[in-house]
Amino acid sequence: MNLSFNDAELEVVRLAAGREGMSPASWAGRQVMAVAQHVLVPVSRDAGDVLRELVQARVHLRETVAALRAVAAAGPSGAGLPESAATVVEETLKAVARVDAATVQVMRERRPRS
């Protein structure tokens, strides 16, 4: 069986597998079996879209935070620093807002699994 992921999805799989000390392929196989055995219930398409938005927002947020750290490390010696810092802070705030909105949406749509 072949599985295909975009870069953001693959990063999530790698992180999840790493947390459990597994290879990404082993972790994905275990998840597929859990769904097949009705131990793990897949989310709706709408919830999946929201989760994908969360994944994309988290990736963007990590990149933005790295840029913010680079600006902060440059110190006040850069001539365009205030404008650069303002741009990076604005991007960080947008990313945080996207993550917050997606998280609230997931929480609203979450149903108990019995």
Side-chain angles (χ1 to χ4, degrees):
M1 171 174 33
N2 293 320
L3 299 175
S4 165
F5 300 103
N6 66 32
D7 290 342
E9 293 166 337
L10 185 56
E11 178 64 17
V12 170
V13 170
R14 285 183 179 141
L15 289 171
R19 279 193 306 270
E20 298 186 31
M22 301 176 75
S23 72
S26 295
W27 184 88
R30 187 177 75 179
Q31 301 310 311
V32 168
M33 287 304 299
V35 170
Q37 296 170 339
H38 302 286
V39 174
L40 179 64
V41 179
V43 296
S44 70
R45 173 170 271 195
D46 290 339
D49 290 343
V50 173
L51 291 172
R52 275 186 288 286
E53 175 64 20
L54 272 174
V55 168
Q56 290 171 349
R58 289 184 70 217
V59 169
H60 181 69
L61 186 55
R62 275 196 303 261
E63 292 168 352
T64 306
V65 167
L68 182 58
R69 286 186 178 132
V71 168
S77 62
L81 184 61
E83 185 177 330
S84 297
T87 301
V88 172
V89 168
E90 183 65 29
E91 287 299 310
T92 301
L93 294 174
K94 286 179 187 176
V96 168
R98 288 177 63 204
V99 170
D100 288 346
T103 302
V104 168
Q105 186 67 27
V106 167
M107 292 171 69
R108 286 184 182 145
E109 293 180 5
R110 190 170 159 226
R111 293 176 290 180
R113 304 200 198 300
S114 53

